[in-house]
Amino acid sequence: MHSPHFGRGSSRTRRALFRVGVALVGAALVLALAADHRTGTFISALAPQVRLSALAPVAALALMAVRRWRGDPRAVAAAGALAGAWSLGCSAWMRVVAERPGSPVGHADAYTLFEIAALIVVLVLTVRYGAARPAAGAAVLLCLAVVLRPVAVRVTENGLILAMFCTVAVCAGLIGALVARLAALDRRRHAEQVRLEQRLTFARDLHDFVAHHVTGIVVQAQGAQVVAASRPELAVSALGQIERAGAEALRALRHMVSGLRTEDAFVPGLAPGGDAAAGGVAGLRTLVAAFTLPGGGSVRLTEEGPVDRLPAAAVAAVHRVTMEALTNVRKHAPDARQVTVTLRALAGTVELDVVNDGPGPGPDPAALPGQGGEPGAGAASRTGAPAPAGYGLIGLEERVTAEGGVFHAGPDSSGHWRVSARIPLESAWRDGP
């Protein structure tokens, strides 16, 4: 599933923007260092304090650049807090030196543009990559260190103006870092949402394709046990059908595992579990033709309208509903003599009805055990053990609803069990991100 939040194109864009940002920040720091050197800040009366104070943001940036520490949010926040506290301590030391009698210190000696710029960079990195709570405390210390540095020696008009500009720069850096942090959180949440949707879709595929074949294996094995002694030729035929169903189930599993291993775009509803659903309406015809009932009943497919021109995603959804409905007939209505599958291609929608003349599993399939097409439910009913609650019809309802359609399963007015689905041709899957 493609998304504008993340992808190869957006990743390349972010890397390019990151490199441009690093180049611009490096150029700004070099210009600030040149300005300090030109004004004589590093040879003034406060030169020892200025040089010692400038080590704090440099050390913090070096620590954040180390790969081992860069991946630890707490280490990033601790480095930012240490840089802010160190700078504030040096500002207090400057104030003490300036207040000594006969001190030649001037108020402009504290205008360390390089340190102020480096502290703003540390502030941005701390807010962007640091652990939330420690980064909040570190951000307070860094903001105070930047804003108070121009008035560290004494409060003057020029110092207040520079402090105001520092405040604006700090606010801009904070806003940019917070926006980048929230954008990264949004990308991670969206990625988790996409992964969850893919897991749910593959879980439905596992049930729809594999459980269908496994249920057939169970039913054929039960029938073979019954007739093995009296009619062994029928048992041999059942073994052949079991072999074919097992091969189909293995093929479905291999296809699904290969889909999990690759990075190809995943389109919900397009049959990662088998080839039948990918064959369009022909796959649906094959499914109905290959279906057999334990009691020897027949299955009839009726097509109305231009069904061969239906979109692939709509046909795949119809294929899933048909497969689950036939699986439930085999399990819960083994004595049914007639099953009718009706496919209608209407203007803007496709309708499917699967009706059998058996009694059906009951009025509320979601509330009864074994109604989801789970393999082994038939065996449980034979042995008297309680069958587990199934998820087949529930999953079908979720799938059809996700397609923007309507799903219903239950007895009709004639007492026959009917599974109906109405699916719009322009579904929610195809219109979504």
Side-chain angles (χ1 to χ4, degrees):
M1 180 180 297
H2 294 296
S3 169
H5 290 77
F6 58 96
R8 294 182 179 178
S10 60
S11 298
R12 287 195 296 265
T13 301
R14 289 196 300 272
R15 286 195 294 268
L17 292 176
F18 177 78
R19 294 190 184 99
V20 172
V22 170
L24 292 177
V25 168
L29 292 177
V30 170
L31 291 176
L33 185 62
D36 287 343
H37 180 74
R38 185 175 181 179
T39 57
T41 302
F42 293 104
I43 58 175
S44 65
L46 293 177
Q49 292 81 4
V50 169
R51 293 172 183 173
L52 186 62
S53 182
L55 290 177
V58 172
L61 291 174
L63 181 63
M64 293 178 183
V66 178
R67 182 178 296 274
R68 184 178 65 178
W69 300 108
R70 186 174 56 197
D72 187 356
R74 292 187 177 275
V76 173
L82 180 62
W86 187 279
S87 180
L88 286 173
C90 290
S91 296
W93 187 14
M94 293 178 185
R95 187 62 177 263
V96 171
V97 172
E99 289 181 348
R100 292 176 181 173
S103 174
V105 175
H107 62 84
D109 294 339
Y111 297 170
T112 54
L113 297 181
F114 171 77
E115 182 181 354
I116 291 174
L119 287 174
I120 293 176
V121 175
V122 173
L123 171 65
V124 171
L125 294 177
T126 301
V127 175
R128 169 62 182 88
Y129 297 106
R133 291 187 178 180
V140 172
L141 292 175
L142 289 167
C143 290
L144 291 175
V146 172
V147 174
L148 295 180
R149 173 49 59 89
V151 294
V153 174
R154 63 178 61 93
V155 178
T156 62
E157 183 178 356
N158 291 336
L160 291 175
I161 293 175
L162 184 56
M164 182 183 66
F165 280 110
C166 291
T167 302
V168 173
V170 164
C171 292
L174 281 175
I175 293 174
L178 288 174
V179 169
R181 187 184 186 101
L182 293 177
L185 288 175
D186 182 67
R187 286 194 299 271
R188 285 196 292 269
R189 289 172 182 170
H190 190 80
E192 289 295 330
Q193 180 183 358
V194 170
R195 282 193 289 268
L196 177 60
E197 290 176 356
Q198 290 182 342
R199 292 189 189 104
L200 292 176
T201 304
F202 277 116
R204 294 190 186 104
D205 293 335
L206 179 64
H207 180 278
D208 291 344
F209 289 96
V210 178
H212 173 76
H213 298 299
V214 174
T215 301
I217 291 173
V218 172
V219 173
Q220 293 293 339
Q222 291 171 346
Q225 291 176 3
V226 173
V227 302
S230 59
R231 304 184 64 183
E233 68 278 4
L234 294 181
V236 174
S237 175
L239 289 176
Q241 295 181 6
I242 290 174
E243 180 184 6
R244 288 191 294 272
E248 288 292 332
L250 289 176
R251 186 181 302 111
L253 284 173
R254 284 195 297 268
H255 196 102
M256 190 176 301
V257 171
S258 66
L260 288 172
R261 287 180 174 178
T262 60
E263 296 181 356
D264 296 337
F266 180 77
V267 180
L270 293 184
D275 299 331
V281 178
L284 181 64
R285 297 183 184 120
T286 302
L287 172 67
V288 175
F291 182 77
T292 58
L293 285 170
S298 62
V299 183
R300 181 166 56 106
L301 174 64
T302 303
E303 301 176 10
E304 301 177 7
V307 296
D308 290 318
R309 295 202 297 267
L310 290 173
V315 175
V318 168
H319 188 280
R320 302 292 177 83
V321 177
T322 305
M323 179 182 291
E324 182 61 36
L326 294 179
T327 301
N328 281 338
V329 171
R330 176 182 284 162
K331 286 179 49 185
H332 304 295
D335 298 329
R337 307 301 301 174
Q338 179 69 44
V339 180
T340 302
V341 180
T342 304
L343 179 64
R344 303 183 188 91
L346 305 177
T349 60
V350 57
E351 292 184 355
L352 175 72
D353 286 319
V354 182
V355 184
N356 71 86
D357 57 4
D364 187 5
L368 295 177
Q371 299 307 310
E374 266 54 52
S381 63
R382 288 177 180 267
T383 60
Y391 300 97
L393 295 179
I394 297 175
L396 285 181
E397 184 176 6
E398 291 176 352
R399 179 180 295 278
V400 173
T401 302
E403 294 279 352
V406 179
F407 178 82
H408 174 73
D412 58 13
S413 57
S414 61
H416 297 161
W417 188 261
R418 179 184 298 270
V419 175
S420 301
R422 181 184 178 94
I423 302 172
L425 299 185
E426 294 297 328
S427 72
W429 279 119
R430 294 183 292 280
D431 293 339

